[in-house]
């Protein structure tokens, strides 16, 4: 009986052992199934079709980026393009200086469609950009009799010139030409353009600017008379230009609500937004 009982117990242990072995075999099967599913997922991820889709999406993204960049470049070129490029300088305009230093440029005998007031500083880089982009178009519209321009030269950028008074002296040079050579067609406008040419305009906080004699030489190249050249080289109008500039800055502050800056173009008492077609719109 005891042996028999011992046998049953032995069978129980054997059965337990069998069950344990069976469970041990089932575990590898489970791991194998998970590994298989991972392999399938990996295969899907690395399948040629999926890679092709990723390449297509990547290619589309690159094309879109290129299109945006190209559009931006084209738009920038349009917005900064030189208007009336190739026209050159004015050949029909004359200039007259008023007692308060405003220089009016127009075509004699014309009835302009628009009159604008332009506030500039000879040291101002943005004014040079205005001249580069719209100077020829302004000259063209004056010569066509469509436009009159009142120039107000200010000098708040004197502090950035090596001499400390370049803006005032350049404004004085323009006054000399308007007074002594203003009846000569195109001369005032020629000097005005020359002052803003990159070959002549001093850099802000630069090491040098133009002397009075150099300003007189520019006026000579523009076609000014000897009398105008002497007026410039001697600095005759420097004080008058300084007084006029102070008044112009006060007026500009009133027009702009205290945000005076250059260049500012004014039409009918209000600042003009300088987009690519601002002048074409005014003279239309």
């Amino acid at each position: 009986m005891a042996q028999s009982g011992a046998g049953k117990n032995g069978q129980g242990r054997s059965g337990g052992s069998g069950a344990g072995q069976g469970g041990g075999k089932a575990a590898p099967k489970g791991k194998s199934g998970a590994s298989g599913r991972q392999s399938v997922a990996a295969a899907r991820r690395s399948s040629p079709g999926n890679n092709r889709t990723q390449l297509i999406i990547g290619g589309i993204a690159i094309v879109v980026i290129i299109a945006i960049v190209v559009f931006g470049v084209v738009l920038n070129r349009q917005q900064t393009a030189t208007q009336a490029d190739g026209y050159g300088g004015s050949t029909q305009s004359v200039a007259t200086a008023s007692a308060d230093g405003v220089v009016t440029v127009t075509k004699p005998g014309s009835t302009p469609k628009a009159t604008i007031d332009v506030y500039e500083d000879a040291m101002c880089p943005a004014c040079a950009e205005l001249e580069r982009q719209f100077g020829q178009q302004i000259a063209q519209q004056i010569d066509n009799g469509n436009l009159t321009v009142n120039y107000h030269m200010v000098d708040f950028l004197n502090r950035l010139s090596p001499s400390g008074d370049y803006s005032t002296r350049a404004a004085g040079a323009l006054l000399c030409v308007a007074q002594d050579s203003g009846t000569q067609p195109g001369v005032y406008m020629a000097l005005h353009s020359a002052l803003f040419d990159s070959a002549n305009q001093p850099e802000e906080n630069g090491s040098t600017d133009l002397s009075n004699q150099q300003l007189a030489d520019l006026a000579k190249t523009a076609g000014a008379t000897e009398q105008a050249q002497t007026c410039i080289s001697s600095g005759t109008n420097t004080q008058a230009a300084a007084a006029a500039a102070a008044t112009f800055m006060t007026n500009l502050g009133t027009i702009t609500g205290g945000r005076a800056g250059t260049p500012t173009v004014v039409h009918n008492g209000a600042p003009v937004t300088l987009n690519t077609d601002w002048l074409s719109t005014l003279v239309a």
Side-chain angles (χ1 to χ4, degrees):
M1 294 289 296
Q3 291 177 353
S4 176
K8 289 179 181 179
N9 291 338
Q11 290 175 356
R13 286 193 299 271
S14 175
S17 176
Q21 291 176 357
K25 291 179 181 179
K29 288 181 181 179
K31 291 180 180 178
S32 176
S35 177
R37 287 191 297 273
Q38 292 173 358
S39 298
V40 171
R44 287 176 179 171
R45 286 194 299 271
S46 61
S47 66
N50 191 60
N51 289 341
R52 192 178 302 112
T53 300
Q54 292 177 351
L55 287 174
I56 291 172
I57 294 173
I60 292 173
I62 292 173
V63 169
V64 170
I65 292 171
I66 292 174
I68 292 173
V69 171
V70 170
F71 176 76
V73 170
V74 171
L75 183 62
N76 181 66
R77 286 180 178 175
Q78 291 176 341
Q79 292 177 338
T80 60
T82 299
Q83 305 299 305
D85 193 18
Y87 181 80
S90 171
T91 59
Q92 304 293 316
S93 64
V94 296
T96 305
S98 67
D100 58 358
V102 178
V103 175
T104 299
V105 181
T106 191
K107 180 180 180 179
S110 66
T111 303
K113 297 179 180 179
T115 297
I116 59 175
D117 291 84
V118 178
Y119 291 79
E120 295 177 313
D121 188 307
M123 280 288 295
C124 166
C127 298
E129 178 60 20
L130 176 70
E131 179 64 25
R132 181 201 68 78
Q133 188 173 3
F134 298 105
Q136 293 183 72
Q137 188 182 27
I138 289 172
Q140 181 185 50
Q141 293 302 330
I142 291 175
D143 287 355
N144 289 344
N146 295 327
L147 181 69
T148 290
V149 182
N150 297 318
Y151 284 103
H152 308 250
M153 298 303 297
V154 297
D155 60 4
F156 72 100
L157 291 177
N158 272 336
R159 56 190 172 80
L160 299 182
S161 69
S163 64
D165 63 354
Y166 175 76
S167 296
T168 307
R169 291 186 294 106
L174 287 168
L175 272 179
C176 287
V177 169
Q179 292 169 349
D180 298 322
S181 296
T183 57
Q184 295 176 259
V187 172
Y188 178 89
M189 291 293 285
L191 177 59
H192 177 272
S193 295
L195 289 175
F196 290 110
D197 190 294
S198 59
N200 303 316
Q201 186 186 42
E203 293 183 1
E204 293 180 329
N205 293 313
S207 58
T208 186
D209 54 35
L210 303 183
S211 66
N212 284 347
Q213 185 56 55
Q214 288 173 313
L215 289 170
D217 291 342
L218 280 183
K220 180 180 180 179
T221 301
T225 63
E226 288 188 11
Q227 184 177 357
Q229 295 171 46
T230 301
C231 175
I232 295 170
S233 61
S234 63
T236 299
N237 279 331
T238 301
Q239 279 190 314
T247 300
F248 296 157
M249 283 301 293
T250 299
N251 295 343
L252 185 57
T254 301
I255 293 169
T256 61
R259 296 184 296 274
T262 56
T264 296
V265 177
V266 179
H267 179 249
N268 289 338
V272 175
T273 300
L274 300 178
N275 51 34
T276 54
D277 61 351
W278 68 269
L279 184 51
S280 299
T281 300
L282 288 182
V283 300

